[in-house]
Amino acid sequence: MAVKTKSVYFCSNCGYESPKFLGRCPSCGEWNTMQEEKVSAKSSKSKGRGGLVKSSKPIRISEIETLDEPRIPLPSKELNRVLGGGLVNGSLTLIGGEPGIGKSTLLLQNILSIRNRTILYVSGEESATQLKLRADRLGKVSDNTFILCETSLEGIFTQIENVNPDLVVIDSIQTIASADIESAAGSVSQVRECAASLLRYSKESGVPVILVGHINKDGAIAGPKVLEHIVDTVLQFEGDRQYLYRIIRAIKNRFGSTNEIGIYEMVEKGLKEVKNPSEMLLSENRDEEMSGITIGVTTEGARPFLVEIQALVSSAAYGTPQRSVTGFDQRRLNMLLAVLEKRARFRLAQKDVFLNVAGGLKIADPAMDLAVVAAIMSSNFDVSIPRTTAFIGEVGLSGEIRTVTRIDQRVAEAQKLGFTRVFVPKGNLKGVKSTFGIDIVEVGKVEECFRRLFE
C-alpha cells in the first residue's frame, strides 16, 4: 500500500510548521521563510518522542546536586581553549564553516591523536578511501577510530550500538536523512529531526557528539535556526582561503566562555596551532621603516594580539577620490576621515585613501581607530612611524580618544613583543595596578596624538 504524502510548510529560520503557505512566520515574524516539503502522513502523526528525563516529577532547585562536568581533553590546545577545557560528556557540538576551510581536517587530526577512546567518524560526503588518504597525509593512524560512510540515520544508530563508541563525529548533518520523513536530506525537517535524535542519544548515553554543518551565502549555518538552539556549543571556523590562517571561535557555549578564539595555520600536514598570533600578523621586515604603516593592539575575545595597519594616501587621479578598505569597516573609515577633516583640519577630501589589515584578518575592534588614523596621516605626510610604537584607542566624533577595555592586557602584549612606546587614551590606565616597562604616552585628542607623534 502506497504511503500517503502531503505538503507541509516549514520556516527556515525557526522551524515552525504550517499546513499552508504563509507570507510571514507567526513564530519568529520573519517574511518569506516558509518552504514547502513533502512529508508522509504517517510520520507527521507519529511524532511522539520519549522524554530525555526518566522521571518528570518536579524537584526543588535546592535539592539538585551539582557535579563538576568531566571533560574529554582534545590534542589541540587551541580547540580546548575555545571549548572551555575540552568536550563535556553528553554534549552536542556543532562546527560550521565554508567549504574547504578545513573543518574535516581539524576534526580528523584531533580524533586520530586520541589513543585511549573508541571513536566513530560518520562521513556522508567522502568515501573511506578519501579519508584514509587524508589520514596518511596528516601522518596519523589510529586503531581506535572507526570510519562509517553512511547517510541513513537508522543505519548510523545501528552501527553505534555495534561499536559502542566514546565519541561520535557526524560529517555533515546536512547529508543525514531519516526514513521516517519524506523529504530530501538537508531540508529543514530532516536537519531538525536528525539533530534532535542525535541530541537524545547524546544526553541518554553520555557520549559527546560533534556535528559538522554547512553555511549559506550569508555566512550563517545552513538549515533551520533551531539547529543552533538544540546544540550545546556552536563553533565557527573561518578564514580566507587565499591566506594560510584559520580562526575558530565559539558563538555559543553552555559549558564555557564565548570570549576565546583559536588560531591555526594551514600547512602541508594539516592545521598547525599558532601559539603567538602577534608574530604571525606582523610583517617580518620590522627594521625597514616606511610611511603609512602602524601597529595596533586588538583583542579577539579575551586574547590580545598586535595587528599591522597599512594605509596609502595619494592624489585622486580621476577627480573622484576612492576609498578602498580590506579587513576594516568601510563606514568607520569614512567616519574617521571626516573627523580628521573637521576636527584636525587635514585636507583629505580630494585624495585617494587605501587601507589594509595585514594577514587577511577582519577587524571590528574600535580600539584600532587610533592606529588607523596614525597610518593615514603617516602616509599623507610621507613620514614613517617607528616600528616599535603601538597604538590603542577609539576615536570619537569630536576627535577625542576614548577609553577601551582590557587596556592592561593590550599594553602587556605590546611590551612582551619588544615595543618601546605605546599611545593609549588619557586616563585609561587609572586604577590599573600593573607597572609596565614601556614608555606609555597618554593622549586625549587626535591633534595631541599627532603633536606627540611627529614632534
Side-chain angles (χ1 to χ4, degrees):
M1 182 178 178
V3 179
K4 294 182 179 180
T5 61
K6 66 176 183 178
S7 293
V8 177
Y9 294 87
F10 292 96
C11 174
S12 60
N13 185 55
C14 66
Y16 177 81
E17 179 181 341
S18 173
K20 62 180 181 179
F21 176 78
L22 300 173
R24 183 181 184 184
C25 175
S27 177
C28 63
E30 293 292 328
W31 288 90
N32 301 322
T33 57
M34 305 300 291
Q35 297 180 2
E36 181 183 7
E37 294 181 10
K38 299 289 186 180
V39 299
S40 63
K42 176 183 177 182
S43 63
S44 63
K45 292 180 181 179
S46 58
K47 284 190 176 180
R49 303 187 184 95
L52 297 180
V53 184
K54 295 181 180 180
S55 175
S56 58
K57 181 181 178 181
I59 58 176
R60 294 184 179 90
I61 191 171
S62 59
E63 298 176 357
I64 300 176
E65 296 182 1
T66 57
L67 301 174
D68 293 335
E69 294 289 346
R71 294 181 182 266
I72 302 175
L74 297 176
S76 174
K77 295 181 179 179
E78 297 290 306
L79 189 55
N80 280 333
R81 177 190 291 113
V82 177
L83 288 171
L87 287 174
V88 176
N89 290 328
S91 63
L92 189 62
T93 303
L94 175 64
I95 299 180
E98 294 182 356
I101 204 71
K103 303 183 296 297
S104 302
T105 301
L106 175 66
L107 290 175
L108 196 60
Q109 74 178 25
N110 270 276
I111 65 175
L112 289 177
S113 300
I114 300 176
R115 304 294 183 183
N116 57 349
R117 296 180 183 272
T118 303
I119 301 170
L120 180 62
Y121 187 97
V122 181
S123 176
E125 300 176 347
E126 297 179 280
S127 65
T129 304
Q130 290 175 307
L131 292 171
K132 180 61 168 62
L133 290 173
R134 179 178 294 178
D136 292 340
R137 178 170 57 86
L138 297 174
K140 298 178 180 179
V141 177
S142 174
D143 292 334
N144 297 327
T145 302
F146 295 86
I147 302 297
L148 174 64
C149 299
E150 180 64 77
T151 58
S152 171
L153 183 64
E154 291 75 17
I156 292 173
F157 280 125
T158 300
Q159 297 304 322
I160 286 177
E161 293 180 0
N162 296 334
V163 176
N164 192 21
D166 299 315
L167 173 63
V168 178
V169 179
I170 307 293
D171 187 8
S172 64
I173 186 60
Q174 279 83 9
T175 62
I176 307 302
S178 174
D180 294 335
I181 301 174
E182 296 294 330
S183 60
S187 61
V188 174
S189 56
Q190 286 283 10
V191 172
R192 181 184 60 186
E193 296 302 322
C194 292
S197 299
L198 291 167
L199 174 68
R200 290 196 300 274
Y201 160 73
S202 176
K203 299 302 181 185
E204 292 172 357
S205 64
V207 175
V209 177
I210 300 177
L211 307 178
V212 176
H214 297 163
I215 65 172
N216 54 30
K217 60 181 180 181
D218 297 327
I221 295 176
K225 194 68 176 178
V226 71
L227 177 61
E228 298 183 34
H229 294 288
I230 289 175
V231 301
D232 297 310
T233 306
V234 180
L235 303 181
Q236 188 78 16
F237 200 43
E238 57 191 35
D240 194 336
R241 282 184 291 178
Q242 305 301 322
Y243 295 90
L244 299 178
Y245 305 113
R246 306 286 189 266
I247 295 176
I248 186 167
R249 67 178 79 241
I251 301 175
K252 169 188 176 183
N253 191 355
R254 289 174 177 164
F255 308 110
S257 173
T258 57
N259 293 327
E260 295 288 351
I261 67 166
I263 301 180
Y264 294 89
E265 180 183 3
M266 181 65 76
V267 296
E268 183 179 357
K269 291 189 176 182
L271 291 162
K272 176 185 176 183
E273 296 182 10
V274 177
K275 298 181 180 179
N276 193 340
S278 299
E279 294 181 352
M280 171 196 78
L281 296 169
L282 299 180
S283 61
E284 298 178 357
N285 56 343
R286 292 181 59 184
D287 296 334
E288 181 183 356
E289 295 184 356
M290 298 180 62
S291 63
I293 297 179
T294 58
I295 306 298
V297 187
T298 183
T299 59
E300 281 286 346
R303 191 174 190 179
F305 52 87
L306 279 71
V307 179
E308 181 177 302
I309 302 294
Q310 301 173 346
L312 178 62
V313 180
S314 62
S315 300
Y318 302 103
T320 304
Q322 302 181 57
R323 303 287 187 260
S324 179
V325 184
T326 303
F328 195 74
D329 188 4
Q330 172 86 44
R331 292 172 294 182
R332 192 159 190 86
L333 174 64
N334 294 336
M335 184 270 287
L336 295 176
L337 293 176
V339 170
L340 291 176
E341 184 89 16
K342 180 73 173 179
R343 306 298 180 188
R345 307 298 181 185
F346 293 117
R347 305 303 177 191
L348 300 172
Q350 300 302 320
K351 294 187 177 182
D352 294 336
V353 179
F354 303 91
L355 188 71
N356 177 50
V357 179
L361 201 66
K362 295 181 180 179
I363 298 297
D365 187 4
M368 295 296 294
D369 290 351
L370 193 57
V372 170
V373 297
I376 292 173
M377 298 317 302
S378 171
S379 178
N380 183 49
F381 296 140
D382 198 19
V383 176
S384 62
I385 296 176
R387 300 303 300 274
T388 56
T389 301
F391 297 87
I392 308 169
E394 177 185 354
V395 178
L397 289 178
S398 62
E400 81 278 12
I401 309 300
R402 302 176 61 87
T403 59
V404 298
T405 59
R406 304 183 185 275
I407 185 65
D408 52 339
Q409 298 178 18
R410 298 174 193 258
V411 175
E413 181 72 13
Q415 178 182 346
K416 185 176 67 174
L417 290 177
F419 283 76
T420 59
R421 194 183 191 192
V422 58
F423 283 76
V424 300
K426 183 175 292 184
N428 206 167
L429 287 171
K430 186 180 297 183
V432 178
K433 298 181 180 179
S434 302
T435 56
F436 304 101
I438 184 174
D439 183 17
I440 297 177
V441 182
E442 294 186 309
V443 291
K445 289 282 187 177
V446 172
E447 307 95 303
E448 182 184 355
C449 175
F450 294 148
R451 286 196 303 267
R452 301 288 297 273
L453 189 61
F454 299 116
E455 62 184 1

